[in-house]
Amino acid sequence: MIHEKRSTLSSYASRLLSEGRLVFSAGEAERALGISRGAFLDAAERLQRRKHLVKPRRGFYVVVPPQYASWGAPPPSWYIDDLMLHEGRPYYVGLLKAAELSGATHQAVMEFQVVTDKRLPKIHVGRTLIAFYYRKDLKTVLNGIEGRKTDTGKMNVSSVELTALDLLRYPHAAGGMDNIVTILTDLGPKLRPQELAELSSAVERPVIQRLGYLLDRLGHEGGTGSLFNTLSGSGAFPWVELDSKETRHPEFTLPPLERDERWRVIVRRPPEIDE
């Protein structure tokens, strides 16, 4: 009897794949198969042990296509939209993953990074780590979120302008200042000055100062005029460290090498591009 239920769930999962679907909820499968919660959980656990199924979140299941059996799960881009719909949260794929999707090729992306309005723990799905980063109000950056087609549907991704701002807003997630400036060498020529200036109203002032300084340093000062006008429109602004980590321990703090008067950024160690 147990074998029959397991086979029934396996057939259900195979049918979803044939229809171009990868995900289902526990309740959906129970209704479709006419089985109890206990019977479903038993069958699902067996399929998970056989690596035919993964459960990123409670009650949410992803079918593993045969070509991704060795990875333990399909790419997150195939199911992230459904996962966040299951969570009931707005989101966008951002930071290093968005930079990669926008053409940044210098860094290896170790996490699939998602920005949402709820603090969620990281999850391992097969070989992939999905990491969530918190932004209180995603409505303030709606103009910087784009829909992208995937092999199984769609997902929300930050624009190149929102990605650039987020790299400075979440430097720990971006791999530090050297990695950020390396990525900006790829993204800088693609930035649209007006869109960047408009989105900058949704981030903290030091983020704008640091990004403006780095873009100027990389030779994109011709495109930072609107960004600077947005920053200076509210009057004088205080000095900010390029990398606040470098002043964390006073006894090891280096003296300033540069004070950029335009952006009022203090530089103690110039960032290095990873060639």
Side-chain angles (χ1 to χ4, degrees), residues 184-256:
L184 288 177
T185 62
D186 290 327
L187 298 189
K190 302 177 182 181
L191 291 169
R192 298 165 293 183
Q194 191 57 44
E195 284 81 352
L196 181 63
E198 291 173 359
L199 282 169
S200 70
S201 64
V203 302
E204 298 80 4
R205 173 188 45 76
V207 170
I208 304 172
Q209 291 174 255
R210 290 170 182 140
L211 178 59
Y213 167 79
L214 291 176
L215 291 175
D216 281 1
R217 182 182 179 87
L218 292 170
H220 303 298
E221 61 272 10
T224 59
S226 297
L227 186 66
F228 182 77
N229 290 339
T230 300
L231 176 66
S232 59
S234 57
F237 46 93
W239 288 86
V240 63
E241 295 280 345
L242 176 62
D243 190 342
S244 58
K245 290 193 303 182
E246 294 180 356
T247 58
R248 189 170 297 171
H249 303 291
E251 63 272 25
F252 298 114
T253 298
L254 296 172

Side-chain angles (χ1 to χ4, degrees), residues 9 12 16 21-31 37 40-41 44-45 48 53-63 79 82-87 123:
L9 182 58
Y12 174 72
L16 289 181
R21 289 185 57 197
L22 283 177
V23 307
F24 62 88
S25 67
E28 181 184 5
E30 291 162 20
R31 291 188 295 271
R37 174 56 59 94
F40 167 78
L41 291 176
E45 184 179 346
Q48 287 175 261
L53 205 63
V54 289
K55 184 177 68 173
R57 281 281 192 259
R58 182 176 181 180
F60 180 85
Y61 294 84
V62 179
V63 184
Y79 58 85
D82 290 302
L83 175 61
M84 299 310 291
L85 181 63
H86 176 79
E87 292 289 314
I123 54 175

Side-chain angles (χ1 to χ4, degrees), residues 44-204:
E45 184 179 346
R46 292 174 183 273
L47 287 183
Q48 287 175 261
R49 286 202 298 265
R50 291 163 57 190
K51 303 193 183 303
H52 293 174
L53 205 63
V54 289
K55 184 177 68 173
R57 281 281 192 259
R58 182 176 181 180
F60 180 85
Y61 294 84
V62 179
V63 184
V64 181
Q67 65 269 35
Y68 286 103
S70 63
W71 286 85
S77 59
W78 287 22
Y79 58 85
I80 190 63
D81 199 66
D82 290 302
L83 175 61
M84 299 310 291
L85 181 63
H86 176 79
E87 292 289 314
R89 312 310 316 179
Y91 80 98
Y92 60 86
V93 177
L95 296 158
L96 298 181
K97 187 61 183 179
E100 179 188 66
L101 293 170
S102 292
T105 58
H106 283 83
Q107 86 291 335
V109 178
M110 306 304 293
E111 299 178 335
F112 191 90
Q113 296 172 322
V114 177
V115 180
T116 185
D117 66 352
K118 182 179 180 181
R119 300 185 190 279
L120 297 172
K122 295 181 179 181
I123 54 175
H124 285 274
V125 189
R127 294 186 186 180
T128 304
L129 177 65
I130 303 178
F132 299 93
Y133 294 89
Y134 176 72
R135 180 185 286 274
K136 184 177 181 180
D137 190 356
L138 266 67
K139 292 180 181 178
T140 61
V141 294
L142 281 180
N143 290 340
I145 301 174
E146 304 172 344
R148 296 277 190 98
K149 289 184 178 180
T150 69
D151 290 347
T152 57
K154 66 179 181 65
M155 64 179 177
N156 299 330
V157 181
S158 60
S159 67
V160 65
E161 293 80 23
L162 180 55
T163 300
L165 289 164
D166 277 353
L167 291 173
L168 274 300
R169 192 169 193 259
Y170 306 90
H172 59 291
M177 202 56 64
D178 290 346
N179 199 45
I180 290 170
V181 75
T182 300
I183 296 169
L184 288 177
T185 62
D186 290 327
L187 298 189
K190 302 177 182 181
L191 291 169
R192 298 165 293 183
Q194 191 57 44
E195 284 81 352
L196 181 63
E198 291 173 359
L199 282 169
S200 70
S201 64
V203 302
E204 298 80 4

